[in-house]
Amino acid sequence: YQDPRQIIIISPDGKGKHQLTPDDYFVDAWAVNKASGSLTVTGYYDKNNNNRYDEGKDTCRIHVHDLKQLSGAMVRRTEDQAPLHGG
C-alpha cells in the first residue's frame, strides 16, 4: 500500500495552500523550468484503485503547470505515455 505523492503550493506568507495534482494522481518526479515558470510532473493515475503502480493497468501522464499563475493551473496534459516504471 502506498499513499499518492502530491504536489502542493504554499503561498509566500505561509497562509495559503493549493494542491496542484489531483487526488488520484501519483507523482513520480517533477522539475521546474525557471525560464518559463513551469513545473513538469510525471506520474500515473491509479485506475484500479489499489494504491500502487500496475504496469498495463494504470495510466501514465505528464502534467505541465504554469507557476506564474497563483493557482498553478495545468496548461498541458499528455495522452497515454510509455510506462515510467522500468518499462
Side-chain angles (χ1 to χ4, degrees):
Y1 178 82
Q2 177 186 4
D3 287 332
R5 285 183 278 172
Q6 300 294 325
I7 295 182
I8 298 172
I9 294 176
I10 305 295
S11 65
D13 63 7
K15 294 180 181 178
K17 70 177 182 177
H18 177 76
Q19 182 175 320
L20 283 183
T21 50
D23 288 337
D24 60 342
Y25 184 75
F26 286 62
V27 173
D28 279 328
W30 56 274
V32 174
N33 182 323
K34 292 179 183 179
S36 69
S38 66
L39 173 72
T40 301
V41 182
T42 61
Y44 63 92
Y45 286 95
D46 184 20
K47 291 298 186 182
N48 58 359
N49 296 317
N50 66 351
N51 295 314
R52 66 172 188 238
Y53 178 73
D54 297 303
E55 189 170 341
K57 295 179 181 176
D58 295 328
T59 306
C60 297
R61 292 279 191 254
I62 298 171
H63 292 185
V64 179
H65 298 269
D66 182 0
L67 296 178
K68 293 178 284 186
Q69 296 181 29
L70 182 59
S71 67
M74 187 184 329
V75 292
R76 187 174 41 207
R77 183 182 86 181
T78 63
E79 294 306 315
D80 290 325
Q81 299 294 312
L84 301 173
H85 295 75

